[in-house]
Amino acid sequence: MKDLVLDAATSGAGFAADALPFEDLKEGAEPPFVVRDGAVLLRGSRSRSSGSMAFPVREVCLETGARDMEPFLFGPDGILYSYSAIHVSATRAVPYTLGYVDFPNGVRVLAHVKAPDGVPLACDQPVQVRAEGDDWFVVPVGKQTGV
């Protein structure tokens, strides 16, 4: 039997670049948001072939696997779909609130929700993307529209 050299067998030598693993969700040099004319917009990706959209920026289409994602910006307005108060965490101060936010383009994002003291949260409540330093979050901007 042939002796296999582990380094050669796992190096990827002899394979095309599209057959090798890659980091689809690697953290880039750019933050996940940009501020334009005072509005905080999130950086997402859209597939040129399928139109599928994703956040954060991705290299591969979640629906087709195509590597044809192009950047696009969305926000700042969305609707709070659901939320939960977190009371136990080993990595950050508690309590804090996380929520799923639906944007008009169809993208749903898990976001940190910062409501001013005394402002109740509700599903179907309009929210807006904001930022402080390198962190982005959403804040309620009006009353809920649903039940």
Side-chain angles (χ1 to χ4, degrees), residues 42-57:
L42 298 177
R43 295 180 194 266
S45 298
R46 180 179 333 190
S47 171
R48 288 187 296 274
S49 59
S50 72
S52 176
M53 294 174 277
F55 176 83
V57 172

Side-chain angles (χ1 to χ4, degrees), residues 10-136:
T10 60
S11 70
F15 290 95
D18 63 350
L20 298 173
F22 60 94
E23 294 182 43
D24 187 37
L25 289 174
K26 62 185 173 197
E27 288 190 29
E30 296 181 327
F33 66 90
V34 62
V35 180
R36 294 248 171 99
D37 298 324
V40 179
L41 304 173
L42 298 177
R43 295 180 194 266
S45 298
R46 180 179 333 190
S47 171
R48 288 187 296 274
S49 59
S50 72
S52 176
M53 294 174 277
F55 176 83
V57 172
R58 299 188 67 102
E59 290 185 26
V60 175
C61 175
L62 296 170
E63 291 182 17
T64 67
R67 295 186 185 190
D68 65 350
M69 301 298 275
E70 59 187 4
F72 84 104
L73 300 174
F74 65 97
D77 299 311
I79 300 293
L80 187 61
Y81 170 76
S82 181
Y83 65 96
S84 182
I86 311 301
H87 294 278
V88 178
S89 175
T91 60
R92 58 197 309 192
V94 291
Y96 62 94
T97 303
L98 294 178
Y100 279 110
V101 177
D102 290 337
F103 289 91
N105 61 7
V107 175
R108 179 174 284 166
V109 172
L110 182 64
H112 182 189
V113 182
K114 289 187 177 182
D117 289 339
V119 175
L121 292 176
C123 294
D124 296 325
Q125 185 173 29
V127 293
Q128 196 168 71
V129 180
R130 304 275 170 86
E132 289 177 0
D134 293 336
D135 297 324
W136 67 274

